Amino acid sequence: MSGVMVLVEHRRGEIREITWEMLAKAQELSSSLGVEVQAVLIGRGLSGMAQELRPFCHRVLVAEEEGLEAFNSEPYQQVLGRLIEERRPVLLMIGHTAQGMDLAPSLAAALDLPLATDCYEFGLKDGRLWAHRQMYGGKLSAEVSSEAPTKVVTVRTGSFDPEGLREVGGEVEEIKVRLDPFPWKRFLEYVEAPPGEVDITQAEVIVSVGRGIGGPENLGLAEELARALGGVLACSRPVADKKWLPKDRQVGTSGKTVKPKLYIALGISGAFQHIVGMKQSGLILAINKDPKAPIFQVAHYGIVGDLFQVVPALVAKVRERKGG
Amino acid sequence: MDVVVCLKRVPEVAEVDLQVDPTGKRVKTEGLPFVLNDWDSYALEEAVRIKERSGAKVTVVTVGGEEDEEVLRRALALGADQAIRISDPRLQDPDAFAIARVLAQLIKDLPHDLILVGVQAADDGYAQVGPTLAELLGIPHATLVTSLELEGGRARVRRELEAGLEEVLEVELPALFSIQSGINEPRYVSILGIRRVAKKEIKVLGLEALGLEPEGVRPKVLLERLFSPPVGEGAEIITGGVEEVAERVAEIFERGGVI
Ligand SMILES: Cc1cc2nc3c(=O)[nH]c(=O)nc-3n(C[C@H](O)[C@H](O)[C@H](O)COP(=O)(O)OP(=O)(O)OC[C@H]3O[C@@H](n4cnc5c(N)ncnc54)[C@H](O)[C@@H]3O)c2cc1C
Ligand SMILES: Nc1ncnc2c1ncn2[C@@H]1O[C@H](COP(=O)(O)O)[C@@H](O)[C@H]1O
């Protein structure tokens, strides 16, 4: 029976959250289309994870492979390639994550399948895929489509809610794939980020600066606001990339996830990869020149204006109140 | 060592009110400032550094119109040896696959030990052209590269995963790497430097010259329409003079128990 396939993402023996999010979407599609939810689990030492997944899928396809202690796109591509040719799913979902970004495009090219990346919503209508994805740093969305019998999408994290996952019974099926050698790309080791001087994840108040701060010479301004509020400085990726602030201050997918009582975003546009790291903050204030900046979608309060004018005034008012 | 770098010129949209044109499928580009895709500037810098260290030959390539030659000139000013632009009226609105397809057709006949691309283009955000190109060329790839060392016939790279975790990989050359921002500090290019290479030849090739049929570059995924992204609750925008706004915010902070 044809199905909606989900590639299980796991690392160091643990299933990653994106997997459950994709399964939630797969269950929804499965009910409306009358097809199976099939989870594909590739790696080593998988039996625990297979049992964890089984209740929520009609079928868990398990490929235990030698030498696959960590993710490697080349053998993954081989296993998925064989499975897709054999089982012809209507849709294959892969996370739009570091793994998925490494795997999905070459897999789709190898099998001559259409791929829509970084989708936050999608569905199938009369066999045709429609998918919504953002462009231009989140300022516009696009609807893309494909009519091919099998399509691949990579799924944006946080797009679907795993709370609604239902138990559907299901079975575990071992699959045997004779892998060709894959000597061109070898995993050597993981490297953890060194701990920084300041742990921004513990702060109650964060003043975070983006590219709009203009340069390191202007950081003092943000620092003053942080000091007045008893908070710490953090930043978006470009600020860390340019070394205006150390990497351990970066908020977002590839940085830290923070949940302070107050998060102030100064000159940050609100790209998805940033928002993921701060949207759970108690109170979010964004100051940005651009009224269309996506950051205003997640902020509770917004000021449309020049941070170089607003911040000094704000520092003065905060000091006034604290002193009084 | 031959290094090929794929460059894309993109609109800078951070402070712009983007408008969709009457087709509903493209943004209006008149008056928009254009820049070299940020991620590509890191890929280019990495290539130039390899050249400086080991005397590599650097070829830069773009698929685009005449105005996109600007980014090739910038690359030549930085030290790229050769620039090629692929352009064809039948390449209108290409998807990521079509771009990768024409790039592959060109690069397969160029010497290439190393191909560098950006992690993603700031406009479409596909993060797809690079690894697709690698597959079409039949060479290995690694994406999200934050450090690249060459030793003999292979590369040792670091890839960024999530939340500060990275992985180290060893990859046989020839290989393609998508370069993540922050890997280096791209150097400044002066207007004078760009002017100095104004006369340097940029080779322009169309589909015929590449031996490609238009069917081969037909998009696999169609862009149907552009629309404003779904809006959540949205922020309450505080308006008024600077003093007034600051006062309101301080009040909100106090009410919220943060001061
Ligand atoms: C795999 C991957 C992982 C990533 N991980 C992260 C991550 O962990 N964290 C992260 O932040 N990003 C991450 N990014 C990058 C992300 O996509 C964006 O490029 C980045 O967040 C943009 O940073 P920014 O908002 O500071 O800059 P821009 O997008 O350039 O925005 C600058 C903003 O400043 C405003 N501005 C300018 N001047 C002023 C002024 N005087 N006053 C007020 N406002 C002003 C502008 O209107 C604009 O909105 C990642 C990208 C990828 C591909
Ligand atoms: N039109 C193009 N010409 C040359 N290189 C491109 C083009 N489009 C994308 N690329 C390369 O592919 C990378 C990823 O782009 P994308 O897959 O569109 O997000 C970019 O950073 C460029 O290095």
Side-chain angles (χ1 to χ4, degrees):
Chain A
M1 186 189 189
S2 167
V4 174
M5 254 183 204
V6 170
L7 175 66
V8 176
E9 180 162 331
H10 57 95
R11 185 176 294 149
R12 295 162 146 177
E14 294 207 8
I15 297 173
R16 295 175 56 79
E17 186 65 12
I18 180 71
T19 304
W20 302 113
E21 294 171 3
M22 292 191 290
L23 285 173
K25 181 66 187 177
Q27 284 197 346
E28 177 204 313
L29 293 174
S30 145
S31 331
S32 62
L33 301 170
V35 297
E36 283 191 343
V37 174
Q38 302 172 339
V40 181
L41 181 57
I42 305 170
R44 288 274 289 162
L46 303 174
S47 52
M49 286 189 274
Q51 286 314 319
E52 219 182 311
L53 291 159
R54 193 189 49 78
F56 306 101
C57 318
H58 299 101
R59 200 172 296 277
V60 185
L61 300 163
V62 180
E64 290 265 358
E65 300 295 346
E66 281 301 318
L68 263 190
E69 278 68 26
F71 168 81
N72 182 332
S73 71
E74 290 178 355
Y76 263 62
Q77 184 168 320
Q78 288 189 40
V79 175
L80 279 167
R82 308 275 165 91
L83 267 179
I84 288 170
E85 277 175 357
E86 232 173 76
R87 317 223 172 191
R88 303 263 159 220
V90 285
L91 186 68
L92 168 65
M93 293 183 207
I94 299 176
H96 191 72
T97 55
Q99 283 193 15
M101 288 162 94
D102 210 52
L103 169 68
S106 53
L107 172 74
L111 299 179
D112 202 18
L113 300 175
L115 166 66
T117 57
D118 196 15
C119 301
Y120 63 84
E121 184 53 296
F122 50 89
L124 291 158
K125 194 165 179 280
D126 305 324
R128 185 186 182 92
L129 169 77
W130 60 269
H132 291 174
R133 57 187 308 283
Q134 290 188 342
M135 294 176 86
Y136 299 98
K139 286 193 134 180
L140 281 177
S141 280
E143 178 165 310
V144 298
S145 76
S146 165
E147 271 179 339
T150 297
K151 309 93 180 161
V152 187
V153 293
T154 63
V155 181
R156 180 171 270 200
T157 55
S159 301
F160 304 107
D161 187 358
E163 284 302 308
L165 270 173
R166 286 170 292 114
E167 298 214 1
V168 295
E171 55 186 276
V172 173
E173 185 181 335
E174 304 269 342
I175 48 174
K176 285 265 162 293
V177 175
R178 167 134 8 110
L179 287 185
D180 296 331
F182 48 95
W184 303 282
K185 180 151 114 179
R186 275 178 301 279
F187 169 84
L188 299 181
E189 58 176 341
Y190 289 117
V191 183
E192 309 274 355
E197 255 171 64
V198 177
D199 184 0
I200 59 170
T201 64
Q202 299 303 312
E204 296 217 323
V205 174
I206 292 180
V207 175
S208 196
V209 295
R211 213 194 298 255
I213 195 75
E217 66 280 7
N218 300 328
L219 286 172
L221 188 63
E223 186 107 57
E224 257 188 78
L225 180 58
R227 210 175 304 129
L229 290 163
V232 302
L233 269 193
C235 63
S236 69
R237 181 168 188 130
V239 171
D241 283 344
K242 293 180 207 293
K243 308 209 163 47
W244 298 347
L245 279 175
K247 185 80 178 167
D248 57 66
R249 303 284 182 120
Q250 182 188 314
V251 172
T253 341
S254 49
K256 302 269 169 67
T257 299
V258 297
K259 280 187 216 173
K261 271 197 189 161
L262 171 64
Y263 188 90
I264 306 181
L266 302 177
I268 294 177
S269 63
F272 168 73
Q273 293 95 346
H274 185 81
I275 288 176
V276 173
M278 46 64 76
K279 65 178 176 202
Q280 307 213 45
S281 306
L283 186 66
I284 302 170
L285 169 73
I287 304 178
N288 198 302
K289 264 199 221 168
D290 176 7
K292 294 279 173 73
I295 189 78
F296 289 125
Q297 291 308 322
V298 293
H300 303 102
Y301 294 96
I303 300 173
V304 178
D306 183 351
L307 73 92
F308 295 104
Q309 287 175 9
V310 177
V311 174
L314 189 53
V315 171
K317 294 290 179 196
V318 168
R319 286 207 181 119
E320 225 173 86
R321 273 178 195 258
K322 277 202 150 174
Chain B
M1 166 79 57
D2 285 281
V3 185
V4 179
V5 193
C6 302
L7 302 177
K8 186 178 189 190
R9 181 172 165 269
V10 297
E12 167 67 61
V13 301
E15 291 170 48
V16 177
D17 187 12
L18 276 180
Q19 301 291 330
V20 178
D21 83 358
T23 65
K25 301 183 182 196
R26 293 182 214 122
V27 297
K28 286 192 189 152
T29 50
E30 299 93 73
L32 289 188
F34 276 81
V35 291
L36 172 61
N37 181 37
D38 201 35
W39 280 273
D40 300 357
S41 67
Y42 290 95
L44 177 60
E45 175 67 30
E46 203 59 22
V48 171
R49 288 187 187 194
I50 291 167
K51 173 176 172 170
E52 286 168 349
R53 277 200 302 269
S54 61
K57 180 173 177 215
V58 176
T59 301
V60 290
V61 187
T62 196
V63 182
E66 206 175 330
E67 55 297 346
D68 298 316
E69 286 190 1
E70 189 189 308
V71 299
L72 298 179
R73 294 252 172 248
R74 166 177 288 269
L76 289 169
L78 269 181
D81 300 282
Q82 182 185 193
I84 304 171
R85 176 167 69 89
I86 302 174
S87 178
D88 197 293
R90 287 163 296 187
L91 267 175
Q92 260 215 340
D93 303 323
D95 67 349
F97 178 81
I99 299 280
R101 185 76 190 78
V102 292
L103 286 170
Q105 191 72 9
L106 171 74
I107 295 171
K108 78 177 171 44
D109 295 327
L110 296 176
H112 58 272
D113 300 295
L114 198 58
I115 302 174
L116 302 182
V117 303
V119 159
Q120 65 179 28
D123 52 358
D124 56 45
Y126 291 136
Q128 191 178 345
V129 167
T132 305
L133 168 60
E135 182 65 33
L136 294 175
L137 289 169
I139 62 173
H141 71 269
T143 51
L144 295 157
V145 168
T146 55
S147 133
L148 169 60
E149 288 165 39
L150 300 171
E151 29 189 49
R154 62 175 67 127
R156 183 183 273 252
V157 300
R158 274 201 193 197
R159 277 193 80 222
E160 176 182 292
L161 305 174
E162 285 81 16
L165 186 67
E166 299 194 312
E167 63 180 8
V168 183
L169 304 176
E170 213 169 58
V171 186
E172 302 293 317
L173 301 185
L176 178 144
F177 298 114
S178 90
I179 302 296
Q180 177 60 303
S181 62
I183 188 175
N184 54 38
E185 288 174 61
R187 69 195 77 178
Y188 174 77
V189 199
S190 69
I191 307 265
L192 195 70
I194 295 178
R195 228 176 264 151
R196 218 172 275 141
V197 295
K199 295 245 160 61
K200 237 181 153 172
E201 193 212 339
I202 291 177
K203 204 190 282 175
V204 183
L205 298 170
L207 291 185
E208 259 110 59
L210 290 172
L212 269 178
E213 299 291 330
E215 292 77 57
V217 293
R218 226 181 260 140
K220 287 188 187 300
V221 173
L222 299 177
L223 198 157
E224 302 284 353
R225 65 188 172 102
L226 295 176
F227 58 99
S228 296
V231 294
E233 294 261 300
E236 178 184 334
I237 301 294
I238 301 166
T239 53
V242 169
E243 289 295 310
E244 202 183 326
V245 163
E247 180 62 31
R248 278 277 324 275
V249 169
E251 198 182 296
I252 290 163
F253 288 172
E254 195 165 332
R255 240 191 302 128
V258 284
I259 51 177

